[in-house]
Amino acid sequence: MSQVKQPTPHALSSLMTEFENSCRRADLKVTHQRLEIYRELTEAHDHPSAEMLYRRIITRLPTISLDTVYRTLATFEKHGLITRVQTVESQARFEAEMVKHHHAVCSKCGVITDFTWETFDAAQVPDTLAVWGKVFKRHAVLEGICTSCSPKV
Amino acid sequence: MSQVKQPTPHALSSLMTEFENSCRRADLKVTHQRLEIYRELTEAHDHPSAEMLYRRIITRLPTISLDTVYRTLATFEKHGLITRVQTVESQARFEAEMVKHHHAVCSKCGVITDFTWETFDAAQVPDTLAVWGKVFKRHAVLEGICTSCSPKV
DNA sequence: TATATTAATAAGAATCATTACTATTCGTGA
DNA sequence: TCACGAATAGTAATGATTCTTATTAATATA
Ligand SMILES: [Mn+2]
Ligand SMILES: [Mn+2]
Ligand SMILES: [Zn+2]
Ligand SMILES: [Zn+2]
């Protein structure tokens, strides 16, 4: 049900070119490890952990090290190319989807599903927050049971 | 600016009695380690990590072990007595505040501040989520810069 | 109150997730 | 093509959490 749709093959390749440009702008060398990690994360829609990405990438880049995946994800995050997802789990999880969206988490299977919610994005935050400080970003997390985890009737 | 107010000394002691009852209902023995951990977390309003709690408690219970703090927090969480807070950090953080509330996170100092937001609690979730499944809980995370971290003019 | 039962604890070892170190490789600009 | 520095692979180290086990303590019962 994700409303944040997957890129077509063509859109993906232009995404990759844009990614290379971002790297050059940020003075990051365009290595094939970085390309693979970024592409794998872009194609993934399950907010994978570093280790999940590593296991997927190693089939194509058999010598890549887990450390490179961790290091590269941290680099991408620092340059605003990807996002680290807030969870309650011990392993950090990541996404390349930078379009504003929110998360629905199934408390049975743990799957994190993307969705958009314009009325939330536009809603006014409580007045009391003015004294707290300046709000730049907002994110909604819904928790429930996804359809495939619901007991069949 | 937290709208979720701290308990008065009297309210705290009745909270502790209620906590003891919860333990008995859940067939959990009422140990002084559990009482101290629960009380410390109830009085804390900074969503402390297990280690932060440990360092605070050890001044009163010098022989308590860090493992007991971790184990006890996990037990409390399992029985719905406390909550594990979603963060992007490597250390898990906890709170005893079970009144529905949301979080404003300062991206400079990292402090997590509680606030209530009734219009968000009551807002209708997007229709598209119906096909996703059943939503039980919702939580808003705001990110920004808190007043004490804002550059003075 | 004393005793028996069993859960909970403390201490340290083990594991899991992530980061640091270092010799080597590789991307890039001259 | 070459020189340079940044990035990587492999491995060690660290930080966070959980496990193992002998001991202690909470509670039910006599
Ligand atoms: Mn997402
Ligand atoms: Mn809170
Ligand atoms: Zn599910
Ligand atoms: Zn701050």
Side-chain angles (χ1 to χ4, degrees):
Chain A
M1 79 108 247
S2 166
Q3 293 174 277
V4 182
K5 36 226 155 280
Q6 329 229 152
T8 62
H10 175 266
L12 178 62
S13 83
S14 87
L15 231 168
M16 291 310 298
T17 326
E18 203 184 301
F19 167 73
E20 292 190 28
N21 293 337
S22 304
C23 284
R24 297 215 171 81
R25 269 195 304 278
D27 269 314
L28 297 176
K29 293 191 173 170
V30 180
T31 66
H32 53 298
Q33 288 90 339
R34 283 176 175 165
L35 287 167
E36 279 306 312
I37 292 168
Y38 186 78
R39 185 158 70 78
E40 195 68 53
L41 188 56
T42 303
E43 291 178 3
H45 286 270
D46 57 348
H47 309 81
S49 66
E51 190 156 2
M52 288 160 79
L53 281 171
Y54 171 69
R55 283 200 304 267
R56 292 171 196 177
I57 293 166
I58 206 171
T59 62
R60 266 171 296 124
L61 284 186
T63 65
I64 198 172
S65 75
L66 179 56
D67 171 64
T68 297
V69 178
Y70 273 107
R71 196 171 7 83
T72 302
L73 289 170
T75 304
F76 289 171
E77 187 195 12
K78 186 166 64 190
H79 288 87
L81 298 169
I82 67 169
T83 305
R84 189 180 292 253
V85 181
Q86 288 204 345
T87 67
V88 108
E89 294 162 36
S90 48
Q91 276 192 315
R93 296 177 67 173
F94 301 86
E95 66 182 340
E97 181 58 69
M98 300 304 280
V99 172
K100 191 203 301 231
H101 69 277
H102 308 281
H103 289 140
V105 184
C106 175
S107 38
K108 279 211 179 144
C109 64
V111 167
I112 302 172
T113 304
D114 293 340
F115 69 95
T116 55
W117 193 2
E118 274 108 42
T119 58
F120 171 73
D121 300 337
Q124 208 192 329
V125 302
D127 298 334
T128 45
L129 278 166
V131 313
W132 173 78
K134 279 201 172 31
V135 175
F136 298 132
K137 274 198 284 188
R138 58 179 73 186
H139 181 222
V141 180
L142 305 186
E143 199 184 313
I145 307 279
C146 79
T147 313
S148 43
C149 285
S150 300
K152 323 280 173 291
V153 192
Chain B
M1 79 109 248
S2 166
Q3 294 175 276
V4 182
K5 36 224 156 283
Q6 326 229 153
T8 61
H10 175 264
L12 177 62
S13 84
S14 86
L15 232 167
M16 292 311 297
T17 326
E18 205 184 300
F19 167 73
E20 292 190 28
N21 293 337
S22 303
C23 284
R24 297 216 171 81
R25 269 196 303 277
D27 268 315
L28 298 176
K29 292 187 174 173
V30 180
T31 66
H32 54 297
Q33 288 90 339
R34 282 177 176 164
L35 288 167
E36 278 307 312
I37 292 168
Y38 186 78
R39 184 158 72 78
E40 194 69 52
L41 188 55
T42 302
E43 291 179 2
H45 286 268
D46 56 349
H47 308 83
S49 66
E51 190 156 3
M52 288 159 80
L53 281 172
Y54 172 69
R55 284 200 301 266
R56 292 170 196 177
I57 294 165
I58 206 170
T59 61
R60 265 171 296 123
L61 285 185
T63 66
I64 198 170
S65 75
L66 180 55
D67 172 64
T68 296
V69 178
Y70 273 108
R71 195 169 9 81
T72 302
L73 289 169
T75 304
F76 289 171
E77 187 195 13
K78 188 166 64 190
H79 288 86
L81 298 170
I82 67 168
T83 305
R84 188 181 293 254
V85 181
Q86 288 204 346
T87 68
V88 107
E89 294 164 36
S90 49
Q91 276 191 315
R93 297 177 66 173
F94 301 86
E95 65 181 340
E97 182 57 71
M98 300 304 280
V99 172
K100 191 201 302 229
H101 69 277
H102 307 283
H103 289 141
V105 185
C106 174
S107 38
K108 280 214 177 140
C109 64
V111 167
I112 303 172
T113 305
D114 294 339
F115 68 95
T116 55
W117 193 1
E118 274 108 42
T119 59
F120 170 73
D121 299 338
Q124 208 190 330
V125 302
D127 298 335
T128 45
L129 277 167
V131 314
W132 173 77
K134 277 197 173 37
V135 175
F136 298 132
K137 276 197 284 188
R138 60 179 72 186
H139 181 222
V141 180
L142 306 185
E143 201 184 312
I145 308 279
C146 78
T147 312
S148 43
C149 286
S150 299
K152 323 278 172 293
V153 192

